[in-house]
Each structure stands twice: as C-alpha cells, then as structure tokens.
C-alpha cells in the first residue's frame, strides 16, 4: 500500500508540472487524483464489501439486479483484509448465453447502469463482460465492486435531460446540458481565436450549430455513446471543453457497456434503452432547483400545461410494444435468432411502460402529482379539443383500442402462432412488495387528481360538456378501430385454413421471403 501511495503522489506531481509547462487548462492533476482514488479503492477489500452492501440497498427497488453477498468471517478485519470472500454465483456470462438471452441481459445491464447514473448516483464503474452474469434465476449480478463512482444529484438530472435531447435531436438543449454538467465553462462558451492560441467568446447559436453538424455527421451520432465521445473530441479542436474528474470513469463505464450491447444487437440504441429512466428522472427531480425547473417546464405562470414539453415526452421515440413486435415478427418457419422475444425495440417499449408508468405512485413522484393536480382544467380541455392535439388524440385512440383488443383476446389469439410473447422481467420479493405498494399509491393518486379536475368541471357546465364530447370522440374512435382490427385478425386467422391461405403460406410467402433476402 505504501508503494502505491508513493507512485500515486509522484504521478500527480508529474502531471501538475506538465500542466504548467504545457500551459493547458485541462485539470491533469485532478484527473490523476480521480484515477488514483480508483486504484486505491480496488485494494481495499472491506470497502469493496461495503460497496456491495450499499449497491444492494440502493437498487433493491429495481428487482432484477444485485451484488453477491459477502462472508465477513472469511474476509478479514478492516484495513488488513487480504481477500474478499463472497457467495458463489451459479450463472453464465453474456458470451455463453443464447441470442435471445443476450438481448435480455443487455437490456438489463443498460437499465441497471443508467439507473445508477441518473437515479441512484452509485455507479459500478467497471461493468465489463467478466463482471456481469445472468444467474440461474435470470437475475443480473454485478461482480467486482472495487471501482465505484458517485454522481451528484444535479449531474444526474443533467444527464437525464441530455439523453432526451440526444434522442429528439434538440441540439440547443444538449449544449445547455453540457454547460450544466461541467463539460463547458459555466460563465459562457468559448471558441478558439482565429489568430493566436487563446479563446474568445462564442454564442449559444454558434455552439449549437457546431454540435449539430458534428454529431449529425458521426455514424451513430444519436444512438452510440462512443459517437458522442468522438464528436466531442473533434469539437474540442475549435471550442473549449472541460474534463470534469467524475467523467473519466463514467465514459469508461458506458463505452464498455456499449461494446457488450453491440454483441447482442448491432442495431442496439443505448439512448433509446436508457430513455425510460431518463424520463422518470426528469419528472422526479430530487433537488429544490430541479423541482422548480420541472414545474416551470410543465406549467406556465397561469398553471397552463406546456403541451410542447408534454408531447416531447409522450411522443418521443413512441415505438409501441405491439407495433415493434409485429414489425419484427416472421412466420412460424422463420429462423432468426432474435425472433424468440422480438427485437430490442419491443423490449424497450415494454420496459418504458413498466418503469415510467408507476412513477405517479412512487415516493419520488410527489412533484409530478402536484403538477397534475395544479394544472388548469380549462386549458387542458381547450387544448385537447383543438387541432394542435391531433397526435395526442391519435395516440390515445391507439392505446385504448389496443387495451380493448387485449380484453377481447381475439387479436392476441390470432397473433400467437407468429409472435412469441416478450419475456417477463425477473423480480425479487422485496421489489414485488415495493411495486405493489406503488400500485396502490398510484390508484389513490389518480383518484385524487381525477376528483380535483371533476370538481372544477362540475362548476362549469359548458366546459363539462366539451370534456364529455372529447372523451366520447376518443372512446368511439377506439371502439371502431378495435372492432375493425379484430375482424381483420379473425379473417387472417380463418384464412390460414382456406385453400388459398394454405397455398399462400406454403408457396407464395416463402418465395417472397427468399427474394427479399
């Protein structure tokens, strides 16, 4: 330990000297300290054991991820432990899994790491293949907790907004997030002088245009974390970027994770997979500043909902679970490995509903409940009745009609021969209790919000009539659509047993499939 401390000191002093000699503004000595602290963590086995306990406490609500239990009796006293003894994990690493399990484990790993980065702030900073396993109960198990990074709430909220901006292509919002999380100077943007080696002020518009051009030109600029890192490196040639110490381990974490994801699905979009937790975090800020910004983002001074923000969250990447499964489905003779559980888009759609859907009943959903109750009922009815809300109404009709079809079961029965169901996510007993408690709280919250707006409607009969007409229009459209799709499904199912249907499935469909390949 003494030798490690000496090496660390020499390294930090050497980089401090180089910083002065080179005249660079990059905090080389601070970065050295961050890396050195990581090395020091790796050598403290009792601290590593404490990390495992802390990880399990902070992430028990996820229900599908855990750290191994450690055995104090065979580990040794604090400060003198030479070995860390843990339970044996019966399971497999991702390379040994069949393709359908790889997709599931990849989605689990991305969700777990994103939840750490933007929700709990307790990040496993070394998630390579050897440090993750899928156990025999299909639970994701992280190994080796020597290297841990902790993220401040303000930074977590910034990253959550950044993920949403990356997906929506909101480059100006992304640039402002860069400033918020310390990637660019807090007092203003800077660009290199046309003459000389210094910097001069740059406008938000200049910075936004440069980021948009650079990231749009990068392959995977809106789907790959590695493309973002490469793009920022190119931008640093013309603009001043900072390297906060905390980012070193986080970049390593997500580049490693992205490499694992590509093995399971070459088209895997890490931002889309991270979106459910990003949305949940954006709607559940933990800092007072974040809560005020969240209210201002969703409500005007007159308590009117800001519908552009609502639509951005509701409609952004709104790949429907049913549509995603259908688009990836093949006939029962298809042999693609990913068909067992559909593609990763369908999996993300399913997880989005489960992750974001329960926020209203969660403890951290208090800010969202206040916004939902405070919002002006009159402005909601007026907007939803207008032409501007056509996309939201269409989305509502689609979701309601799908619920009707599932209730009738005809659509599901007709699709069963072609599409396998998506997997059930593993869930610990403690997570199940948390989920059930949140479900009960959500029902109470919804009843309170509904009652609040109904009392306002009853005081204004004309507004009540408009709201009733709007609901009637959506429900009628959903019923018509559901009936039509159910009839189509039954006809498709019956057609399989007609001479023409059998001829099509045995001769025409296989030949057209070979031609498309």
């Amino acid at each position: 330990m003494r030798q490690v401390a000496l090496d660390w000191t020499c390294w930090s002093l050497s980089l401090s000297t180089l910083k002065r000699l080179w005249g660079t503004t990059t905090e080389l000595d601070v970065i050295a300290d961050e890396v050195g602290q990581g090395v020091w963590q790796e050598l403290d086995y009792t601290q590593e054991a404490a990390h495992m306990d802390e990880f399990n406490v902070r992430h028990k609500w996820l229900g599908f991820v855990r750290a191994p239990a450690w055995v104090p009796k065979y580990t040794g006293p604090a400060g003198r432990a030479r070995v860390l003894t843990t339970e044996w994990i019966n399971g497999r690493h991702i390379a040994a899994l069949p393709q359908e399990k790889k997709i599931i484990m990849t989605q689990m790993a991305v969700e777990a790491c994103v939840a750490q980065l933007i929700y709990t702030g307790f990040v496993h900073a070394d998630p390579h293949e050897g440090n993750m396993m899928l156990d025999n109960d299909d639970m994701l198990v992280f190994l080796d907790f020597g290297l841990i990074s902790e993220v401040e709430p303000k930074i977590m909220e910034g990253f959550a907004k950044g993920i949403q901006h990356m997906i929506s292509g909101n480059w100006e919002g992304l640039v402002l997030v860069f400033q918020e999380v310390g990637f660019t100077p807090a007092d203003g943007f800077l660009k290199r002088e046309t003459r000389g080696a210094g910097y001069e002020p740059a406008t938000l518009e200049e910075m936004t245009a440069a980021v948009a051009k650079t990231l749009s030109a990068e392959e995977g600029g809106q789907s790959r974390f590695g493309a973002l890192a490469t793009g920022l490196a190119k931008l640093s040639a013309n603009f001043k970027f900072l390297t906060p110490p905390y980012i070193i381990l986080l970049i390593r974490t997500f580049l490693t994770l992205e490499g694992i994801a590509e093995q399971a699905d070459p088209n895997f979009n890490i931002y889309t997979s991270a979106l459910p937790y990003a949305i949940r975090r954006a709607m559940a800020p933990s800092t007072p500043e974040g809560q005020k910004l969240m209210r201002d983002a969703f409500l005007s001074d007159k308590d009117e909902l800001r519908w552009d923000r609502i639509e951005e969250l509701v409609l952004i990447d709104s790949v429907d679970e049913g549509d995603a499964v259908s688009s990836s489905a093949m006939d029962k003779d298809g042999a693609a490995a990913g068909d067992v559980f559909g593609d990763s888009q369908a999996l993300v759609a399913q997880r989005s509903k489960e992750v974001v859907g329960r926020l209203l009943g969660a403890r951290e959903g208090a800010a969202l409940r206040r916004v939902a109750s405070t919002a002006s009922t009159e402005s909601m009815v007026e907007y939803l009745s207008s032409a501007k809300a056509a996309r939201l109404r269409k989305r509502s009709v689609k979701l309601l009609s799908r619920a009707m079809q599932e209730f009738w079961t005809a659509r599901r029965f007709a699709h069963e021969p072609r599409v396998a169901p998506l997997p059930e996510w593993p869930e610990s007993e403690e997570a199940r209790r948390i989920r059930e408690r949140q479900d009960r709280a959500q029902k109470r919250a919804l009843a309170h919000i509904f009652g609040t707006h109904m009392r306002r409607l009853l005081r204004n009969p004309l507004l009540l009539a408009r709201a009733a007409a709007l609901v009637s229009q959506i429900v009628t459209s959903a019923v018509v659509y559901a009936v039509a799709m159910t009839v189509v499904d039954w006809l498709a199912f019956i057609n399989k047993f007609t001479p023409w249907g059998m001829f099509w499935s045995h001769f025409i469909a296989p030949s057209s499939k070979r031609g498309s390949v």
Side-chain angles (χ1 to χ4, degrees):
M1 299 290 279
R2 181 174 178 274
Q3 186 61 51
V4 172
L6 287 172
D7 291 344
W8 178 5
T9 303
C10 291
W11 185 27
S12 181
L13 290 173
S14 298
L15 288 176
S16 297
T17 304
L18 287 174
K19 177 185 175 182
R20 287 194 292 272
L21 290 174
W22 291 342
T24 180
T25 57
T26 302
E27 301 290 344
L28 296 177
D29 51 338
V30 178
I31 294 172
D33 286 346
E34 185 75 12
V35 175
Q37 288 173 18
V39 173
W40 198 263
Q41 285 184 51
E42 291 274 14
L43 298 174
D44 190 337
Y45 295 122
T46 49
Q47 185 181 46
E48 182 174 349
H51 286 163
M52 292 194 293
D53 289 341
E54 183 71 14
F55 183 88
N56 284 331
V57 169
R58 292 207 199 184
H59 300 96
K60 61 185 179 182
W61 59 278
L62 284 174
F64 62 84
V65 61
R66 69 183 183 92
W70 67 289
V71 187
K73 180 179 178 181
Y74 298 108
T75 296
R80 299 203 308 273
R82 297 296 184 91
V83 66
L84 174 60
T85 307
T86 70
E87 66 170 305
W88 180 264
I89 301 298
N90 290 304
R92 289 178 288 177
H93 295 287
I94 192 168
L97 294 172
Q99 181 64 23
E100 66 273 12
K101 291 282 188 178
K102 285 182 180 179
I103 292 176
I104 298 170
M105 183 176 176
T106 297
Q107 181 64 28
M108 282 184 180
V110 170
E111 284 194 26
C113 288
V114 170
Q116 294 166 46
L117 174 63
I118 64 178
Y119 223 85
T120 67
F122 195 76
V123 183
H124 186 296
D126 196 16
H128 60 73
E129 281 189 58
N131 281 347
M132 290 188 291
M133 296 181 71
L134 199 66
D135 70 13
N136 291 347
D137 295 324
D138 287 337
M139 296 280 285
L140 179 66
V141 183
F142 279 88
L143 310 174
D144 187 1
F145 281 78
L147 204 56
I148 289 292
S149 180
E150 296 210 47
V151 185
E152 297 176 5
K154 180 181 178 181
I155 302 299
M156 289 191 277
E157 291 171 8
F159 281 148
K161 287 186 285 188
I163 290 170
Q164 296 173 67
H165 295 326
M166 282 295 296
I167 293 173
S168 64
N170 181 358
W171 304 115
E172 182 175 311
L174 183 64
V175 168
L176 292 174
V177 167
F178 286 164
Q179 194 171 47
E180 187 177 326
V181 300
F183 283 5
T184 58
D187 53 353
F189 304 109
L190 297 173
K191 62 183 178 181
R192 291 197 182 274
E193 295 175 339
T194 51
R195 296 178 181 178
Y199 289 94
E200 60 184 2
T203 65
L204 174 62
E205 291 74 19
E206 287 177 312
M207 191 74 172
T208 299
V211 168
K213 181 180 178 180
T214 303
L215 293 184
S216 297
E218 285 289 323
E219 183 178 357
Q222 287 180 259
S223 62
R224 294 278 188 265
F225 185 82
L228 173 62
T230 303
L232 292 181
K234 292 179 179 178
L235 285 164
S236 64
N238 299 311
F239 293 87
K240 184 175 178 61
F241 278 85
L242 306 176
T243 308
Y246 72 83
I247 201 62
I248 302 299
L249 295 178
L250 296 182
I251 287 177
R252 182 177 184 272
T253 296
F254 280 86
L255 287 177
T256 303
L257 188 63
E258 194 166 77
I260 295 172
E262 287 180 357
Q263 293 184 41
D265 181 359
N267 298 317
F268 196 90
N269 186 326
I270 196 166
Y271 296 120
T272 303
S273 299
L275 184 61
Y277 289 96
I279 292 176
R280 181 170 172 136
R281 178 71 195 193
M283 294 193 295
S286 59
T287 63
E289 297 86 355
Q291 290 172 3
K292 183 180 183 304
L293 287 172
M294 185 256 190
R295 189 197 183 282
D296 292 343
F298 287 104
L299 291 178
S300 69
D301 295 337
K302 298 179 180 179
D303 289 334
E304 295 178 350
L305 283 171
R306 299 186 188 276
W307 289 100
D308 54 342
R309 182 60 175 152
I310 300 293
E311 290 196 1
E312 182 183 347
L313 287 174
V314 173
L315 301 174
I316 183 175
D317 193 51
S318 57
V319 175
D320 220 346
E321 179 187 334
D323 291 346
V325 172
S326 298
S327 68
S328 67
M330 298 166 60
D331 59 24
K332 62 183 178 181
D333 298 323
D339 289 347
V340 178
F341 294 122
D343 61 8
S344 53
Q345 275 190 325
L347 204 53
V348 171
Q350 173 184 273
R351 293 297 297 153
S352 294
K353 290 193 295 186
E354 295 173 2
V355 172
V356 181
R358 297 193 183 98
L359 176 59
L360 206 60
R363 183 179 57 184
E364 60 269 25
L368 179 62
R369 291 192 290 272
R370 283 195 296 272
V371 167
S373 297
T374 307
S376 166
T377 307
E378 182 177 357
S379 68
M380 279 195 288
V381 174
E382 287 180 357
Y383 182 84
L384 292 173
S385 302
S386 70
K388 295 179 182 178
R391 292 179 69 197
L392 280 175
R393 290 198 300 272
K394 182 179 179 181
R395 179 77 172 154
S396 301
V397 168
K398 198 170 185 180
L399 291 174
L400 184 57
S401 66
R402 176 161 290 113
M404 292 176 182
Q405 292 169 57
E406 289 174 357
F407 179 75
W408 296 333
T409 73
R411 182 177 175 83
R412 179 175 59 82
F413 176 70
H415 278 177
E416 276 179 350
R418 295 189 294 135
V419 183
L422 290 167
E424 290 292 329
W425 227 239
E427 184 179 51
S428 66
E429 183 63 25
E430 190 165 12
R432 182 188 62 78
R433 289 196 295 269
I434 293 173
R435 174 179 56 78
E436 290 175 348
R437 186 167 62 247
Q438 289 179 352
D439 286 344
R440 291 192 296 270
Q442 179 167 283
K443 290 177 181 178
R444 292 195 298 270
L446 287 171
H448 172 74
I449 293 167
F450 179 77
T452 299
H453 289 290
M454 277 303 300
R455 285 192 292 273
R456 295 172 187 167
L457 287 172
L458 291 172
R459 291 196 292 267
N460 188 334
L462 183 59
L463 190 65
L464 177 62
R466 290 184 64 184
L470 175 64
V471 172
S472 176
Q473 177 191 355
I474 292 173
V475 171
T476 302
S477 300
V479 170
V480 171
Y481 184 79
V483 170
M485 292 308 298
T486 300
V487 171
V488 169
D489 282 341
W490 271 107
L491 290 176
F493 179 72
I494 295 170
N495 187 55
K496 294 179 182 180
F497 303 100
T498 64
W500 166 247
M502 289 187 284
F503 177 77
W504 176 273
S505 61
H506 284 86
F507 299 103
I508 306 298
S511 62
S512 62
K513 182 179 167 183
R514 285 194 297 270
S516 64
V517 173

